[in-house]
């Protein structure tokens, strides 16, 4: 038996054969042709077919992941109809007497390069789309049957990475799970895996061609894959898979039910999301709202600084589609493990203790204002909360509020409509816990970030796998810090929630309820299990 490890996108077990998904390498020769007109006709025919394909992909994506994800394929179809691009291909064929394949590669690569050089981030992003449609045309010209790459039997699909067009083209009925060597938690593979409720592993470096066709178990709970598992393991994890199915069916009955304990204590159960594409999961799992929208994923998903308008569209979509439910958007928490090249952040000796989150925002004021203006504009469309991460002092919180007020004033002068978002902070540093009384008087809510709080209270780098034996998520110091934060918040009349991973730890639900927690924000899939747990607790006992 071999074991591969990675990052789990969704808990759950998938059992089946591995199918290695590999795009064939296309060899394009520079040979000259005798009949350029025939090549032009071949190219035109391929473009027509590629447009048809994009339209089919649009319909598929619409059904699987909604309008926002599907839109890309109507953009692709439009790009394929662009006469400048097709004329450029015709020119290479007729003047240079080249094949349709060669001309497609030349002209499309050229166009992609032009887009890549542009300053406008929107046009910049179109470069990847040109490569995507170029591949579609070349596949048709060279007779590559992309559909057969998935095989004909249900399997756990293994790939280096998956482009959006590839992911959406996959036949869902043949997908048991997905594993990729690359990819981020917010990659399209991850988004689609989540929306399809499929166990998935990303960043699995052990992937090997020899796995093809082998029996495997993808264990999302332990973020690993077993190749040729032992009979014992197969039996244990098959039982776990069956148990999961039973539980899932039973949980559906909890939709629409209150998060109320036997003795009548009700709390809010919200969901954590990485962007608008997770809105479906919030609704399907019946979360009461969004307790943490990690806005930095909007930045991580972009090749350059996302504009105010791009951000506004993303925030508005979440706020508007979930209204009147509350949506709490955390301002950009970039830095430490979350880096983007375009921000040109210097390497640091201690990144977790370094230049990150609000520290970047308060020193790059224009950068911060772009996001705050987008948030204020989105606040007109529903029930928005704005949350500042990594706060260590009242001074920082006040500075954030001053900049926010400045943005409000500017937007008012521009005649832009806005709502009245509530303002909160992440309590994820020991300093915030110890200053919680002062901070509570200056905001509307606290959300405890137990992931970072544990790292800072216990001085355990959360990125360092070697430290796992020393790490104790139930460390009494962390639990005490949570209690202190809840008590301080309540002394000053504000609500206190938890949005770190500990919020979904069902062994602690009763402890948190006894501490007086008001809200738990967890990944969408954990909403119903958490509701079940809450409803089984009697605080009088
Ligand atoms: C946390 O630190 O607990 C948290 C929710 O934020 P992140 O995991 O994104 O740092
Ligand atoms: Mg954090």
């Amino acid at each position: 038996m071999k074991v591969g490890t990675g990052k789990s996108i969704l808990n759950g077990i998938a059992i089946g054969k591995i199918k290695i998904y590999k795009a064939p390498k296309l060899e394009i020769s520079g040979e000259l042709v005798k009949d350029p007109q025939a090549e032009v006709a071949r190219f035109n025919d391929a473009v027509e077919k590629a447009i048809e394909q994009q339209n089919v992909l649009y319909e598929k994506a619409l059904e699987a992941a909604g309008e926002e994800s599907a839109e890309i394929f109507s953009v692709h179809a439009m790009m394929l109809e662009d006469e400048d691009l097709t004329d450029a291909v015709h020119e290479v064929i007729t003047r240079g007497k080249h094949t349709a394949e060669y001309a497609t590669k030349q002209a499309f690569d050229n166009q992609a390069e032009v887009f890549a050089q542009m300053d406008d981030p929107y046009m910049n992003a179109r470069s990847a789309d040109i490569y995507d449609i170029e591949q579609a045309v070349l596949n048709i010209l060279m007779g590559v049957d992309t559909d057969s790459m998935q095989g004909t039997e249900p399997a756990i699909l293994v790939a280096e990475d998956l482009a959006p067009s590839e992911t959406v083209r996959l036949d869902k009925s043949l997908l048991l799970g997905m594993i990729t060597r690359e990819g981020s938690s917010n990659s399209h593979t991850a988004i689609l895996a989540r929306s399809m409720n499929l166990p998935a592993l990303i960043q699995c470096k052990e992937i090997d061609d020899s796995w093809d066709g082998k029996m495997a178990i993808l264990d999302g709970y332990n973020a690993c894959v077993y190749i040729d598992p032992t009979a014992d393991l197969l039996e244990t994890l098959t039982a776990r898979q069956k148990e999961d199915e039973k539980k899932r069916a039973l949980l559906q009955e909890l939709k629409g039910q209150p998060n109320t304990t036997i003795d009548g204590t009700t709390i809010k159960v919200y969901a954590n999301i990485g962007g608008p594409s997770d809105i479906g999961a919030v609704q399907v799992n019946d979360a009461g709202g969004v307790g943490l929208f990690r806005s930095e994923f909007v930045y991580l998903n972009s090749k350059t600084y996302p504009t105010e308008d791009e951000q506004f569209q993303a925030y508005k979509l979440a706020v508007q589609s979930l209204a009147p439910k509350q949506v709490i958007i955390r301002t950009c928490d970039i830095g430490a493990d979350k880096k983007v090249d375009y921000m040109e952040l210097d390497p640091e000796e201690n990144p977790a203790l370094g230049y990150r989150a609000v520290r970047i925002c308060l020193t790059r004021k224009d950068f911060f204002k772009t996001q705050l203006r987008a948030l204020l504009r989105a606040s007109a469309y529903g029930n928005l909360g704005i949350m500042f991460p990594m706060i260590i002092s009242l001074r920082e919180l006040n500075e954030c509020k001053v900049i926010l007020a400045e943005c409000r004033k500017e937007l008012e002068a521009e005649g832009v409509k806005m709502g009245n978002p509530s303002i909160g902070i992440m309590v994820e540093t020991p300093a915030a816990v110890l200053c919680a009384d002062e901070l509570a008087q200056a905001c509307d809510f606290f959300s405890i970030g137990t992931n970072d709080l544990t790292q800072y209270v216990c001085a355990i780098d959360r990125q360092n796998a070697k430290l796992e034996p020393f790490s104790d998520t139930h460390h009494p110091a962390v639990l005490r810090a949570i209690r202190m934060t809840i008590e301080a918040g309540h002394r000053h009349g504000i609500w206190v929630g938890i949005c770190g991973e500990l919020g979904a730890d069902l062994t602690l639900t009763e402890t948190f309820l006894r501490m007086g927690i008001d809200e738990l924000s967890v990944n969408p899939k954990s909403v119903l299990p958490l509701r079940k747990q809450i409803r089984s607790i009697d605080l009088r006992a």
Side-chain angles (χ1 to χ4, degrees):
M1 179 173 81
K2 284 196 189 118
V3 183
T5 55
K7 224 171 144 187
S8 179
I9 288 304
L10 199 84
N11 283 340
I13 309 276
I15 302 176
K17 284 193 180 157
I18 294 278
K19 172 72 190 163
I20 301 271
Y21 179 93
K22 203 178 250 178
K25 283 228 173 326
L26 302 179
E27 300 282 343
I28 296 170
S29 84
E31 67 174 321
L32 301 183
V33 292
K34 292 204 179 87
D35 184 359
Q37 281 321 313
E39 291 302 299
V40 168
R42 274 184 70 226
F43 169 73
N44 290 347
D45 189 41
V47 167
E48 220 169 275
K49 286 195 177 117
I51 292 172
E52 270 167 39
Q53 268 180 7
Q54 298 300 320
N55 292 336
V56 172
L57 289 174
Y58 174 84
E59 295 301 331
K60 274 191 170 190
L62 192 64
E63 203 184 313
E67 176 69 38
E68 197 208 355
S69 306
E71 204 186 299
I72 188 68
F73 300 106
S74 55
V75 173
H76 283 181
M78 256 155 48
M79 285 174 144
L80 282 162
E81 282 165 9
D82 176 9
E83 279 181 13
D84 286 346
L85 190 56
T86 48
D87 284 353
V89 178
H90 293 165
E91 177 96 359
V92 179
I93 296 175
T94 48
R95 276 183 191 250
K97 300 209 177 342
H98 284 295
T99 60
E101 289 86 342
Y102 183 91
T104 301
K105 178 136 186 59
Q106 291 297 313
F108 279 58
D109 278 1
N110 200 15
Q111 181 64 57
E113 199 48 37
V114 170
F115 281 142
Q117 303 293 333
M118 288 183 179
D119 284 339
D120 180 341
Y122 177 82
M123 297 311 287
N124 229 249
R126 302 285 71 81
S127 166
D129 294 322
I130 294 283
Y131 285 123
D132 219 356
I133 55 173
E134 173 185 320
Q135 193 61 48
V137 175
L138 287 176
N139 283 342
I140 295 166
L141 284 169
M142 301 177 85
V144 176
D145 178 8
T146 44
D147 292 341
S148 72
M149 281 154 48
Q150 200 185 344
T152 48
E153 284 173 41
I156 299 171
L157 203 76
V158 172
E160 289 297 308
D161 206 354
L162 288 165
S165 55
E166 288 175 307
T167 316
V168 79
R169 197 179 271 135
L170 297 173
D171 182 343
K172 316 292 170 297
S173 65
L174 298 178
L175 268 184
L176 300 174
M178 285 193 268
I179 306 175
T180 59
R181 191 190 302 275
E182 307 299 334
S184 69
S185 312
N186 209 36
S187 64
H188 286 90
T189 320
I191 291 166
L192 223 87
R194 272 193 223 108
S195 66
M196 293 188 304
N197 227 348
L198 275 180
L201 204 62
I202 56 168
Q203 296 165 23
C204 178
K205 299 300 174 203
E206 293 90 354
I207 283 177
D208 194 288
D209 282 357
S210 67
W211 292 6
D212 201 26
K214 296 221 163 117
M215 187 62 195
I217 308 176
L218 196 177
D219 179 353
Y221 294 102
N222 293 301
C224 63
V225 54
Y226 304 100
I227 310 294
D228 286 333
T230 60
D232 276 359
L233 195 61
L234 194 59
E235 194 181 327
T236 312
L237 292 178
T238 304
R240 176 84 201 252
Q241 193 186 36
K242 289 215 170 94
E243 222 175 274
D244 282 357
E245 275 162 25
K246 261 196 227 149
K247 278 190 195 152
R248 248 199 311 275
L250 281 173
L251 283 171
Q252 297 310 306
E253 293 167 12
L254 288 173
K255 285 190 181 170
Q257 300 291 328
N259 309 303
T260 304
T261 58
I262 294 169
D263 59 294
T265 304
T266 301
I267 65 163
K268 295 182 279 192
V269 175
Y270 283 4
N272 294 346
I273 64 170
S277 41
D278 299 333
I279 294 168
V282 176
Q283 280 157 334
V284 165
N285 292 285
D286 195 30
V290 168
L292 170 64
F293 175 140
R294 288 179 160 97
S295 74
E296 58 278 7
F297 285 129
V298 174
Y299 294 76
L300 293 172
N301 259 337
S302 181
K303 289 204 175 77
T304 180
Y305 292 99
T307 62
E308 179 184 317
D309 236 46
E310 282 168 338
Q311 293 192 54
F312 165 64
Q313 294 301 344
Y315 307 150
K316 177 185 159 196
L317 189 61
V319 169
Q320 193 171 37
S321 32
L322 291 169
K325 291 180 176 175
Q326 186 171 35
V327 175
I328 296 173
I329 304 184
R330 166 172 82 183
T331 59
C332 185
D333 185 13
I334 217 104
D337 57 316
K338 291 176 268 188
K339 292 245 168 75
V340 283
D341 287 345
Y342 60 82
M343 286 188 72
E344 294 176 353
L345 300 170
D346 292 331
E348 293 175 296
E349 287 281 321
N350 294 301
L353 303 180
Y355 189 53
R356 60 173 286 197
V358 83
R359 299 169 185 182
I360 297 179
C361 292
L362 290 176
T363 46
R364 293 193 184 182
K365 200 171 150 188
D366 287 343
F367 167 80
F368 196 22
K369 281 179 76 175
T370 303
Q371 178 168 42
L372 294 179
R373 283 175 57 97
L375 285 167
L376 283 170
R377 284 169 60 192
S379 70
Y381 296 86
N383 183 358
L384 174 71
I386 299 178
M387 175 158 76
F388 301 114
M390 279 295 287
I391 292 287
I392 59 164
S393 67
L394 182 60
R395 178 183 66 81
E396 286 176 354
L397 171 56
N398 283 338
E399 275 183 40
C400 291
K401 286 166 65 180
V402 166
I403 301 174
L404 187 66
E406 208 175 296
C407 293
R408 179 176 280 281
K409 222 168 159 190
E410 284 172 14
L411 288 165
E412 257 160 19
E414 292 165 28
V416 175
K417 59 174 182 166
M418 285 170 277
N420 230 332
S422 51
I423 304 299
I425 63 162
M426 302 265 313
V427 175
E428 53 184 341
T429 62
V433 176
L434 296 171
C435 297
D437 276 296
E438 291 95 306
L439 291 164
Q441 293 172 65
C443 63
D444 303 314
F445 65 89
F446 281 162
S447 187
I448 306 173
T450 51
N451 310 338
D452 276 316
L453 188 59
T454 306
Q455 129 163 298
Y456 298 128
V457 166
C458 298
I460 296 258
D461 179 355
R462 65 192 264 197
Q463 295 296 111
N464 191 339
K466 267 201 208 119
L467 298 179
E468 254 156 48
F470 298 94
S471 163
D472 172 10
T473 51
H474 295 193
H475 195 292
V478 176
L479 296 179
R480 249 169 250 169
I482 294 172
R483 179 191 295 279
M484 284 165 68
T485 307
I486 297 172
E487 286 173 357
H490 289 177
R491 269 195 293 278
H492 302 285
I494 66 168
W495 66 262
V496 184
I498 295 176
C499 63
E501 294 302 300
L502 220 51
D505 183 335
L506 301 184
T507 66
L508 285 175
T509 311
E510 181 165 347
T511 306
F512 294 146
L513 283 164
R514 290 192 183 279
M515 288 180 181
I517 201 76
D518 302 293
E519 176 244 27
L520 292 168
S521 190
V522 296
N523 80 64
K525 247 199 119 188
S526 298
V527 167
L528 292 175
L530 179 56
R531 176 170 300 162
K532 181 166 183 271
Q533 183 71 352
I534 293 167
R535 292 170 63 82
S536 73
I537 290 169
D538 188 346
L539 296 174
R540 294 164 307 190

PDB file of all heavy atoms in Angstrom, residues 255-269:
ATOM      1  N   LYS A 255     -32.945  20.691   8.375  1.00  0.00           N
ATOM      2  CA  LYS A 255     -33.053  21.977   7.653  1.00  0.00           C
ATOM      3  C   LYS A 255     -34.292  22.721   8.131  1.00  0.00           C
ATOM      4  O   LYS A 255     -35.359  22.124   8.301  1.00  0.00           O
ATOM      5  CB  LYS A 255     -33.124  21.730   6.152  1.00  0.00           C
ATOM      6  CG  LYS A 255     -31.790  21.355   5.578  1.00  0.00           C
ATOM      7  CD  LYS A 255     -31.850  21.367   4.081  1.00  0.00           C
ATOM      8  CE  LYS A 255     -30.514  20.960   3.510  1.00  0.00           C
ATOM      9  NZ  LYS A 255     -30.583  20.721   2.080  1.00  0.00           N
ATOM     10  N   GLY A 256     -34.122  23.998   8.369  1.00  0.00           N
ATOM     11  CA  GLY A 256     -35.256  24.819   8.806  1.00  0.00           C
ATOM     12  C   GLY A 256     -35.486  24.768  10.310  1.00  0.00           C
ATOM     13  O   GLY A 256     -36.301  25.510  10.846  1.00  0.00           O
ATOM     14  N   GLN A 257     -34.786  23.880  11.002  1.00  0.00           N
ATOM     15  CA  GLN A 257     -34.953  23.778  12.459  1.00  0.00           C
ATOM     16  C   GLN A 257     -34.070  24.812  13.155  1.00  0.00           C
ATOM     17  O   GLN A 257     -33.003  25.168  12.653  1.00  0.00           O
ATOM     18  CB  GLN A 257     -34.528  22.381  12.942  1.00  0.00           C
ATOM     19  CG  GLN A 257     -35.310  21.239  12.335  1.00  0.00           C
ATOM     20  CD  GLN A 257     -36.744  21.203  12.820  1.00  0.00           C
ATOM     21  OE1 GLN A 257     -37.040  21.580  13.946  1.00  0.00           O
ATOM     22  NE2 GLN A 257     -37.646  20.804  11.949  1.00  0.00           N
ATOM     23  N   PRO A 258     -34.490  25.272  14.352  1.00  0.00           N
ATOM     24  CA  PRO A 258     -33.644  26.248  15.059  1.00  0.00           C
ATOM     25  C   PRO A 258     -32.424  25.599  15.711  1.00  0.00           C
ATOM     26  O   PRO A 258     -32.438  24.401  15.999  1.00  0.00           O
ATOM     27  CB  PRO A 258     -34.584  26.821  16.125  1.00  0.00           C
ATOM     28  CG  PRO A 258     -35.630  25.785  16.328  1.00  0.00           C
ATOM     29  CD  PRO A 258     -35.754  25.013  15.045  1.00  0.00           C
ATOM     30  N   ASN A 259     -31.387  26.414  15.944  1.00  0.00           N
ATOM     31  CA  ASN A 259     -30.181  25.928  16.642  1.00  0.00           C
ATOM     32  C   ASN A 259     -30.406  26.131  18.139  1.00  0.00           C
ATOM     33  O   ASN A 259     -29.776  26.978  18.758  1.00  0.00           O
ATOM     34  CB  ASN A 259     -28.956  26.723  16.187  1.00  0.00           C
ATOM     35  CG  ASN A 259     -28.843  26.781  14.686  1.00  0.00           C
ATOM     36  OD1 ASN A 259     -28.789  25.751  14.038  1.00  0.00           O
ATOM     37  ND2 ASN A 259     -28.849  27.986  14.121  1.00  0.00           N
ATOM     38  N   THR A 260     -31.323  25.333  18.680  1.00  0.00           N
ATOM     39  CA  THR A 260     -31.744  25.539  20.069  1.00  0.00           C
ATOM     40  C   THR A 260     -31.463  24.294  20.894  1.00  0.00           C
ATOM     41  O   THR A 260     -31.781  23.174  20.472  1.00  0.00           O
ATOM     42  CB  THR A 260     -33.261  25.860  20.101  1.00  0.00           C
ATOM     43  OG1 THR A 260     -33.481  26.986  19.256  1.00  0.00           O
ATOM     44  CG2 THR A 260     -33.750  26.190  21.496  1.00  0.00           C
ATOM     45  N   THR A 261     -30.887  24.506  22.057  1.00  0.00           N
ATOM     46  CA  THR A 261     -30.596  23.373  22.949  1.00  0.00           C
ATOM     47  C   THR A 261     -31.903  22.886  23.585  1.00  0.00           C
ATOM     48  O   THR A 261     -32.936  23.571  23.514  1.00  0.00           O
ATOM     49  CB  THR A 261     -29.631  23.804  24.080  1.00  0.00           C
ATOM     50  OG1 THR A 261     -30.255  24.877  24.795  1.00  0.00           O
ATOM     51  CG2 THR A 261     -28.295  24.266  23.543  1.00  0.00           C
ATOM     52  N   ILE A 262     -31.842  21.737  24.245  1.00  0.00           N
ATOM     53  CA  ILE A 262     -33.041  21.159  24.873  1.00  0.00           C
ATOM     54  C   ILE A 262     -33.631  22.143  25.892  1.00  0.00           C
ATOM     55  O   ILE A 262     -34.845  22.278  26.028  1.00  0.00           O
ATOM     56  CB  ILE A 262     -32.679  19.806  25.541  1.00  0.00           C
ATOM     57  CG1 ILE A 262     -32.296  18.803  24.445  1.00  0.00           C
ATOM     58  CG2 ILE A 262     -33.814  19.280  26.402  1.00  0.00           C
ATOM     59  CD1 ILE A 262     -31.679  17.511  24.945  1.00  0.00           C
ATOM     60  N   ASP A 263     -32.752  22.890  26.577  1.00  0.00           N
ATOM     61  CA  ASP A 263     -33.247  23.817  27.607  1.00  0.00           C
ATOM     62  C   ASP A 263     -33.625  25.182  27.020  1.00  0.00           C
ATOM     63  O   ASP A 263     -33.966  26.097  27.762  1.00  0.00           O
ATOM     64  CB  ASP A 263     -32.189  23.986  28.700  1.00  0.00           C
ATOM     65  CG  ASP A 263     -30.896  24.517  28.128  1.00  0.00           C
ATOM     66  OD1 ASP A 263     -30.269  23.788  27.340  1.00  0.00           O
ATOM     67  OD2 ASP A 263     -30.525  25.666  28.421  1.00  0.00           O
ATOM     68  N   GLY A 264     -33.531  25.336  25.707  1.00  0.00           N
ATOM     69  CA  GLY A 264     -34.052  26.560  25.090  1.00  0.00           C
ATOM     70  C   GLY A 264     -33.045  27.658  24.781  1.00  0.00           C
ATOM     71  O   GLY A 264     -33.434  28.790  24.518  1.00  0.00           O
ATOM     72  N   THR A 265     -31.745  27.354  24.791  1.00  0.00           N
ATOM     73  CA  THR A 265     -30.744  28.367  24.418  1.00  0.00           C
ATOM     74  C   THR A 265     -30.531  28.310  22.903  1.00  0.00           C
ATOM     75  O   THR A 265     -30.234  27.239  22.354  1.00  0.00           O
ATOM     76  CB  THR A 265     -29.403  28.080  25.129  1.00  0.00           C
ATOM     77  OG1 THR A 265     -29.657  28.034  26.524  1.00  0.00           O
ATOM     78  CG2 THR A 265     -28.354  29.130  24.807  1.00  0.00           C
ATOM     79  N   THR A 266     -30.677  29.447  22.246  1.00  0.00           N
ATOM     80  CA  THR A 266     -30.507  29.468  20.781  1.00  0.00           C
ATOM     81  C   THR A 266     -29.261  30.274  20.419  1.00  0.00           C
ATOM     82  O   THR A 266     -29.032  31.355  20.976  1.00  0.00           O
ATOM     83  CB  THR A 266     -31.740  30.118  20.113  1.00  0.00           C
ATOM     84  OG1 THR A 266     -32.888  29.355  20.491  1.00  0.00           O
ATOM     85  CG2 THR A 266     -31.618  30.127  18.598  1.00  0.00           C
ATOM     86  N   ILE A 267     -28.468  29.748  19.519  1.00  0.00           N
ATOM     87  CA  ILE A 267     -27.321  30.513  19.012  1.00  0.00           C
ATOM     88  C   ILE A 267     -27.398  30.577  17.482  1.00  0.00           C
ATOM     89  O   ILE A 267     -28.178  29.858  16.861  1.00  0.00           O
ATOM     90  CB  ILE A 267     -25.952  29.933  19.449  1.00  0.00           C
ATOM     91  CG1 ILE A 267     -25.725  28.540  18.840  1.00  0.00           C
ATOM     92  CG2 ILE A 267     -25.799  29.930  20.953  1.00  0.00           C
ATOM     93  CD1 ILE A 267     -24.276  28.108  18.892  1.00  0.00           C
ATOM     94  N   LYS A 268     -26.570  31.439  16.907  1.00  0.00           N
ATOM     95  CA  LYS A 268     -26.531  31.542  15.446  1.00  0.00           C
ATOM     96  C   LYS A 268     -25.504  30.529  14.922  1.00  0.00           C
ATOM     97  O   LYS A 268     -24.415  30.404  15.500  1.00  0.00           O
ATOM     98  CB  LYS A 268     -26.080  32.953  15.022  1.00  0.00           C
ATOM     99  CG  LYS A 268     -27.065  34.036  15.425  1.00  0.00           C
ATOM    100  CD  LYS A 268     -26.624  35.400  14.949  1.00  0.00           C
ATOM    101  CE  LYS A 268     -25.586  36.027  15.848  1.00  0.00           C
ATOM    102  NZ  LYS A 268     -25.323  37.431  15.612  1.00  0.00           N
ATOM    103  N   VAL A 269     -25.843  29.832  13.858  1.00  0.00           N
ATOM    104  CA  VAL A 269     -24.852  28.981  13.184  1.00  0.00           C
ATOM    105  C   VAL A 269     -24.684  29.528  11.770  1.00  0.00           C
ATOM    106  O   VAL A 269     -25.616  29.514  10.968  1.00  0.00           O
ATOM    107  CB  VAL A 269     -25.261  27.493  13.171  1.00  0.00           C
ATOM    108  CG1 VAL A 269     -24.274  26.678  12.352  1.00  0.00           C
ATOM    109  CG2 VAL A 269     -25.327  26.946  14.601  1.00  0.00           C
TER     110      VAL A 269
END
